Amino acid sequence: MNHMSKLDTFIQQAVSTGHISGTSLISSLYGDSLSHRGGEIWLGSLAALLEGLGFGERFVRTALFRLNKEGWLNVSRLGRRSFYSLSDKGLRLTRRAETKIYRAEQPAWDGKWLLLLSEGLDKNTLADVKKQLIWQGFGTLAPSLMASPSQQLADVQSLLHEAGVAENVICFEAHSPLALSRAALRARVEECWQLTEQNVMYESFINAFRPLLPLLKEVEPDELTPQRAFHIQLLLIHFYRRVVLKDPLLPEELLPAHWAGQTARQLCINIYQRVAPGALAFVSEKGETSVGELLSPGSLWFQRFGGLSVDQEAVCQFIK
């Protein structure tokens, strides 16, 4: 079996075992490949990007229709062509997700906790706000008490204002004398943040993508074509994103000893570094906007994962 088909086999296997939803895959594609390049693309370009993965135009159209209906994408038409771009809402959610997906390490911690006491909220509102806070890394310490060790007060206040509950939630900043209660605190944290389940998700991500590293090291450079690089990068970020967005990103001192988050992140970074230039080139080749070519990636793209070791000038040459 030659290396070429080994990469293809890996890609096909990831697609067939991954239960991939169209809206989720296309959200991953916009966030990873388009948000720093203008955020707009022609429907035909999206179909061309995904065709090699076995997804037809109908799959793409259905997903775009849904994302447009949810207010995540805007659509504009020029003649018979449709162009889809990230809406303000889509861009805001994409940027919020990016800070979790492309970070290089766990956040540093000063030992402070942010506590939110929510009394007197009706059940539905409370459930909705809780969902958003959990996404931001809060855990439920008691039925109406939520806590986070790594959230900034200002970010949380704006979230509570957006949800219209700022007046019903009391915020405290607290300090925990960690040494005295470390064991009890760790056990409580593991339970409240459901870290055991999160860890299982990280481990299955690692098991799925670890075999790819040796393959990438042993293939001839010309076997890692731009198309294959793009397919690998999209699948990598799609599956990593599904796990990391559920991660509360707790500081290292609070994590259990067997935590797999850092291993998963390092694996993701190592693969991403290898495929990023080729993936960029493929998106440039296929991507068309209402005014012509996609923009070159902005400086924030190069800062992903603490700084991609990809030569900026070489990339700009590469995608011209």
Side-chain angles (χ1 to χ4, degrees):
M1 191 192 227
N2 63 24
H3 295 321
M4 200 184 317
S5 63
K6 277 186 182 173
L7 281 183
D8 291 334
T9 305
F10 179 88
I11 291 165
Q12 284 160 5
Q13 205 175 345
V15 170
S16 63
T17 56
H19 311 299
I20 292 173
S21 107
T23 49
S24 185
L25 185 70
I26 286 179
S27 305
S28 300
L29 195 159
Y30 268 88
D32 189 55
S33 297
L34 302 173
S35 67
H36 287 289
R37 305 192 63 181
E40 182 200 67
I41 198 166
W42 171 46
L43 167 73
S45 297
L46 279 175
L49 286 169
L50 293 174
E51 174 183 44
L53 282 172
F55 298 113
E57 196 170 325
R58 193 167 168 195
F59 173 92
V60 176
R61 278 180 187 278
T62 307
L64 290 172
F65 174 76
R66 286 189 186 143
L67 289 165
N68 174 237
K69 215 172 156 185
E70 286 166 20
W72 204 84
L73 289 178
N74 293 330
V75 60
S76 59
R77 291 184 175 84
L78 277 179
R80 300 183 60 184
R81 291 181 151 203
S82 299
F83 296 87
Y84 287 84
S85 57
L86 283 167
S87 65
D88 288 346
K89 172 187 172 180
L91 194 60
R92 195 172 68 244
L93 294 174
T94 298
R95 292 281 182 262
R96 202 183 275 179
E98 272 181 351
T99 56
K100 274 188 152 184
I101 297 167
Y102 301 107
R103 63 184 311 134
E105 54 207 9
Q106 295 296 116
W109 190 42
D110 58 3
K112 273 207 189 109
W113 286 84
L114 197 53
L115 302 176
L116 302 180
L117 187 63
S118 54
E119 291 291 354
L121 278 181
D122 75 84
K123 270 206 176 105
N124 292 348
T125 313
L126 184 62
D128 192 46
V129 173
K130 266 191 174 173
K131 210 181 193 165
Q132 292 187 55
L133 288 167
I134 287 168
W135 200 90
Q136 291 280 9
F138 277 82
T140 309
L141 281 184
S144 55
L145 184 67
M146 296 193 77
S148 167
S150 52
Q151 274 306 312
Q152 299 303 313
L153 186 58
D155 296 345
V156 174
Q157 276 177 325
S158 67
L159 189 148
L160 295 173
H161 274 288
E162 269 175 46
V165 297
E167 291 175 12
N168 309 75
V169 176
I170 305 164
C171 296
F172 298 98
E173 283 195 309
H175 227 279
S176 153
L178 198 61
L180 296 175
S181 52
R182 180 174 274 145
L185 187 60
R186 269 194 167 173
R188 189 91 189 99
V189 162
E190 194 157 344
E191 188 188 325
C192 294
W193 274 266
Q194 299 173 330
L195 296 185
T196 310
E197 287 147 62
Q198 179 72 35
N199 218 29
V200 168
M201 286 160 59
Y202 271 133
E203 280 164 358
S204 59
F205 169 81
I206 293 165
N207 292 338
F209 280 89
R210 195 178 261 156
L212 184 58
L213 263 187
L215 286 186
L216 287 170
K217 283 182 182 146
E218 65 196 36
V219 295
E220 296 298 326
D222 61 344
E223 287 175 17
L224 184 59
T225 59
Q227 181 173 14
R228 287 194 185 108
F230 169 75
H231 288 161
I232 288 168
Q233 182 173 304
L234 177 59
L235 293 169
L236 174 79
I237 286 300
H238 179 64
F239 289 115
Y240 182 62
R241 173 176 165 261
R242 288 209 301 212
V243 185
V244 81
L245 289 185
K246 293 192 173 85
D247 185 342
L249 289 182
L250 297 171
E252 230 150 290
E253 298 94 308
L254 296 171
L255 290 170
H258 56 279
W259 186 245
Q262 192 58 31
T263 308
R265 184 183 293 124
Q266 200 51 56
L267 175 65
C268 185
I269 293 172
N270 291 344
I271 295 170
Y272 200 91
Q273 297 272 22
R274 294 188 93 92
V275 297
L280 266 182
F282 188 67
V283 174
S284 297
E285 181 200 328
K286 299 289 180 195
E288 205 179 311
T289 74
S290 56
V291 291
E293 294 180 359
L294 285 165
L295 296 173
S296 288
S299 61
L300 282 173
W301 184 85
F302 291 92
Q303 289 161 29
R304 286 178 170 177
F305 295 121
L308 291 174
S309 57
V310 175
D311 180 352
Q312 205 152 344
E313 281 174 31
V315 163
C316 296
Q317 290 301 306
F318 199 39
I319 62 177
K320 284 220 160 63

